[in-house]
Every structure is written in structure tokens, then in C-alpha cells.
């Protein structure tokens, strides 16, 4: 993930809607750390089966504190995908 110059200057939390080919709406929560560049690590957190992305709250917070970009999402039928 390489943040654009515009995105890197407007850091923070964003939500991205993803629509699958069969019209299921998934939501990705994205945190871009302040001053992110192409060298900033981006961590994609996958949920264990049967859990939604809130399971990563503690880990996500620690990664953000260490200046990492973090992306979480819910699989079909979990969290906001119902």
C-alpha cells in the first residue's frame, strides 16, 4: 500500500466500502499514520473465523502507536456485512 501524497497529508481513520461481484457490501477500516510514506509499514489484520474486526482493537492500537498503517475488515456475514 503506497499512500498518495494527498492521503499521507490527511492522516487518520477512514472507512472504505467494498462491493463484491455478487453485491455483498464489505467495510474496511483503514488507519493511515501521520506522515505515512511508501516506507511506512501497512498491516492487514485478518479475523479468526467467527469473529469480527473488533477482536483486533488492542493489537491495532499498539501497531498505530508504533507508526504503522492498519487495515481491518469483516468477512461476509460478520460485523457490518449483514
Amino acid at each position: 500500500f503506497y499512500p498518495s501524497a494527498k492521503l499521507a497529508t490527511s492522516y487518520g481513520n477512514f472507512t472504505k466500502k467494498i462491493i463484491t461481484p455478487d453485491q455483498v457490501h464489505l467495510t474496511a477500516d483503514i488507519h493511515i499514520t501521520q506522515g505515512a510514506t511508501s516506507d511506512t509499514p501497512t498491516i492487514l489484520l485478518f479475523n479468526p473465523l467467527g469473529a469480527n474486526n473488533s477482536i483486533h482493537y488492542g493489537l491495532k492500537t499498539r501497531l498505530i502507536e508504533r507508526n504503522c498503517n492498519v487495515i481491518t475488515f469483516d468477512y461476509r456475514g460478520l460485523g457490518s456485512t449483514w
Side-chain angles (χ1 to χ4, degrees), residues 22-44:
D22 58 344
Q23 302 304 305
V24 174
H25 292 236
L26 305 176
T27 302
D29 295 318
I30 303 166
H31 177 85
I32 304 298
T33 193
Q34 184 174 8
T37 68
S38 60
D39 294 327
T40 303
T42 298
I43 311 298
L44 176 59

Side-chain angles (χ1 to χ4, degrees), residues 36-57:
T37 68
S38 60
D39 294 327
T40 303
T42 298
I43 311 298
L44 176 59
L45 297 175
F46 293 92
N47 305 337
L49 293 178
N52 64 27
N53 70 15
S54 65
I55 196 167
H56 296 302
Y57 179 77

Side-chain angles (χ1 to χ4, degrees), residues 8 10 25-26 40 43 51 59 61 64 74 81:
S10 60
H25 292 236
L26 305 176
T40 303
I43 311 298
L59 176 58
T61 300
I64 291 168
D74 286 326
T81 66

Side-chain angles (χ1 to χ4, degrees), residues 6-23:
K6 180 180 178 184
L7 189 57
T9 59
S10 60
Y11 63 92
N13 294 311
F14 303 90
T15 300
K16 175 70 176 167
K17 293 283 184 187
I18 302 165
I19 302 173
T20 65
D22 58 344
Q23 302 304 305

